[in-house]
Amino acid sequence: MATFILPAAAFLAIISLFMPVASAMGSSVNYFSDEAGFLLFIMLVAIAASAVAVIRKANWSRITAGVVGIGAGLIGMIDGFGTMGSVSGTRYASVGSAGVLLALLSVVMLAAAVLALLPPRQTSAVPPMPPAQPLQS
């Protein structure tokens, strides 16, 4: 399940890069004015790695998706929460939806990546009980 949540959260985080990060005195700024190139790249790599993990059920693909997802989630969290912190202390500026959305989706990505690294649960090998026979007298 985590390998399905990870690419969805990364895709929505990419969409948040196009939204306004901050607005001040009638103008707004998005992530593409500064550093969106690296964020876009790392989110696309996370989507690709988790897509491979969904298609191929191998251990290496799940581990790769988890590690890349942790990296992308941490970078997105640092950038999103850092932007919110720096903008909220500025006079006449307000935090836009992109910083909040990027931070929240990065937390979701980080959690999904950690869950993707956990070993898959094994089903119980106990055979089912046969149906009960009525007593014969």
Side-chain angles (χ1 to χ4, degrees):
M1 184 71 171
T3 54
F4 291 107
I5 295 172
L6 183 60
F11 178 73
L12 292 174
I14 288 174
I15 291 174
S16 75
L17 297 177
F18 295 99
M19 300 170 107
V21 174
S23 60
M25 295 184 226
S27 64
S28 65
V29 174
N30 63 6
Y31 276 110
F32 279 101
S33 61
D34 276 350
E35 66 231 17
F38 183 69
L39 280 171
L40 180 64
F41 174 74
I42 195 76
M43 297 296 174
L44 288 174
V45 170
I47 290 172
S50 53
V52 169
V54 168
I55 293 169
R56 296 190 49 114
K57 302 292 185 197
N59 245 358
W60 64 267
S61 64
R62 186 177 48 80
I63 291 171
T64 303
V67 170
V68 170
I70 286 174
L74 285 175
I75 291 170
M77 280 176 53
I78 291 168
D79 206 3
F81 285 120
T83 301
M84 286 190 322
S86 65
V87 170
S88 65
T90 306
R91 192 172 197 180
Y92 303 116
S94 63
V95 177
S97 58
V100 176
L101 194 60
L102 180 65
L104 293 177
L105 288 171
S106 296
V107 170
V108 171
M109 283 178 53
L110 185 65
V114 168
L115 290 176
L117 285 176
L118 294 176
R121 287 193 283 185
Q122 300 295 326
T123 58
S124 177
V126 177
M129 297 284 294
Q133 298 289 330
L135 293 175
Q136 296 177 357
S137 0

